[in-house]
Amino acid sequence: MSYNLQYPPRFYCVYLLRSIARKNSFYIGSTPDPHRRLRQHNGDLAFGGADRTKKNKLRPWQMTMVVYGFPSKISALQFEYAWHHAYRTRHIPVKNRIGTRNSGNSVHIKIANLKLLLSAHAFRRMGLRVAIFQKDIYDIWVVNRYNVSVSESVLLKLDFEENQQKLIQGGNYEQMKAFVKSLEKDEDDYFEISLEKLEQNNTRICCVCTRVVDQFEDVLGFCASKSCHALYHVQCWAEEMTKDLISEPLSHTVPPLTPVKGKCVKCQKVNWWWPTVKNSMRLHQHFTEIGRPFIKN
Ligand SMILES: [Zn+2]
Ligand SMILES: [Zn+2]
């Protein structure tokens, strides 16, 4: 089994914008920086707004929700394109398609198509997450008018005020900035703790193969549970997680037999694969950069 060691993007999301002025106008896009992108759509930055969002009668826009956790920028762009063209995308079988080219205005259809894509063959094993910033969008998700069941591997993060007065504020500049910042802080903390654990000599044994690990040679994974942080060779852990799995062909952006999630053999808590591997790649990059210290005999 081999893994593509290309470092995944720090953050890349596909988003659904809504016009505050015309609440039934939506726009699907993708970006590594939702705060900056929203400012572009609203004309607060000189360059980069999409043509359709430039109409003054539609401005300002807010972000209602984002899909994130893509293992690569390409997979995010593929998802964006498929959502935008849900009436004809190959990722949704013809018999399951909802809506036509002209029914793009219904947000119920947009969210039904989003759910179909999250469960699609090419995307369902990526461990994608959905963050919702406006309560009425969450209500539409729950009402589920088109009765689409969504893969249980999709994590939902709700980030809005219950107070109806504040509804339209959801997905504004400050919130988008804080959202990405808090995800990055979690990743930084995970990385720092992983480094600390590696400095403690007694923890340098892989929990699966029980061999001593070498951080300069091996790609290492740590259980994300704060009370555990058990250490693994990423490959050993992947094999452990997928040993009961039947191989199936996947999208070319995800190698075959990539786990979605699996238990830590030490604490039994569920770990999501991509956040774990993202940390592993960062560690690998870190140790490759500093290099093995020269030891005099
Ligand atoms: Zn091992
Ligand atoms: Zn654990």
Side-chain angles (χ1 to χ4, degrees), residues 110-277:
K110 281 194 164 56
I111 290 184
N113 280 323
L114 169 63
K115 288 182 174 184
L116 284 171
L117 285 174
L118 289 168
S119 303
H121 199 65
F123 302 115
R124 69 173 180 231
R125 297 185 56 78
M126 289 178 180
L128 294 176
R129 286 140 195 252
V130 177
I132 301 180
F133 305 107
Q134 296 185 349
K135 186 171 182 300
D136 64 332
I137 296 293
Y138 176 60
D139 292 341
I140 289 166
W141 178 282
V142 172
V143 164
N144 197 16
R145 190 180 283 176
Y146 292 90
N147 205 16
V148 181
S149 56
V150 73
S151 157
E152 53 130 33
S153 72
V154 172
L155 281 190
L156 213 54
K157 186 181 168 79
L158 306 179
D159 192 356
F160 51 74
E161 304 268 352
E162 284 292 332
N163 182 350
Q164 295 290 324
Q165 297 298 317
K166 291 187 176 176
L167 242 184
I168 205 70
Q169 296 302 322
N172 57 24
Y173 293 160
E174 291 71 34
Q175 196 177 3
M176 298 319 298
K177 208 173 193 172
F179 172 71
V180 175
K181 217 173 180 173
S182 98
L183 293 177
E184 289 182 349
K185 185 182 180 303
D186 288 349
E187 283 182 6
D188 290 346
D189 290 349
Y190 186 17
F191 176 70
E192 292 301 330
I193 290 170
S194 303
L195 284 182
E196 275 169 34
K197 287 280 164 185
L198 276 172
E199 279 164 16
Q200 300 167 4
N201 283 332
N202 56 347
T203 57
R204 290 194 186 186
I205 305 277
C206 168
C207 284
V208 174
C209 71
T210 69
R211 280 181 289 131
V212 176
V213 304
D214 177 349
Q215 69 268 40
F216 295 99
E217 291 278 331
D218 305 332
V219 184
L220 304 177
F222 284 87
C223 170
S225 163
K226 287 193 171 89
S227 55
C228 175
H229 288 297
L231 174 61
Y232 298 88
H233 291 112
V234 160
Q235 195 143 331
C236 290
W237 203 5
E239 280 164 14
E240 181 68 24
M241 284 182 184
T242 54
K243 65 184 178 193
D244 302 323
L245 216 75
I246 296 156
S247 175
E248 54 174 320
L250 296 162
S251 123
H252 65 275
T253 56
V254 178
L257 282 178
T258 298
V260 174
K261 60 180 176 178
K263 280 182 180 169
C264 167
V265 298
K266 203 168 157 197
C267 74
Q268 301 300 313
K269 289 206 175 110
V270 169
N271 275 253
W272 293 83
W273 183 248
W274 283 108
T276 305
V277 151

Side-chain angles (χ1 to χ4, degrees), residues 46-78:
F47 302 105
D51 278 349
R52 205 173 79 72
T53 60
K54 277 181 185 156
K55 293 175 190 156
N56 276 332
K57 63 181 182 189
L58 294 177
R59 281 174 170 168
W61 298 85
Q62 304 264 58
M63 292 220 175
T64 65
M65 66 194 313
V66 299
V67 183
Y68 63 105
F70 292 96
S72 64
K73 179 182 170 181
I74 288 173
S75 55
L77 296 181
Q78 284 175 338

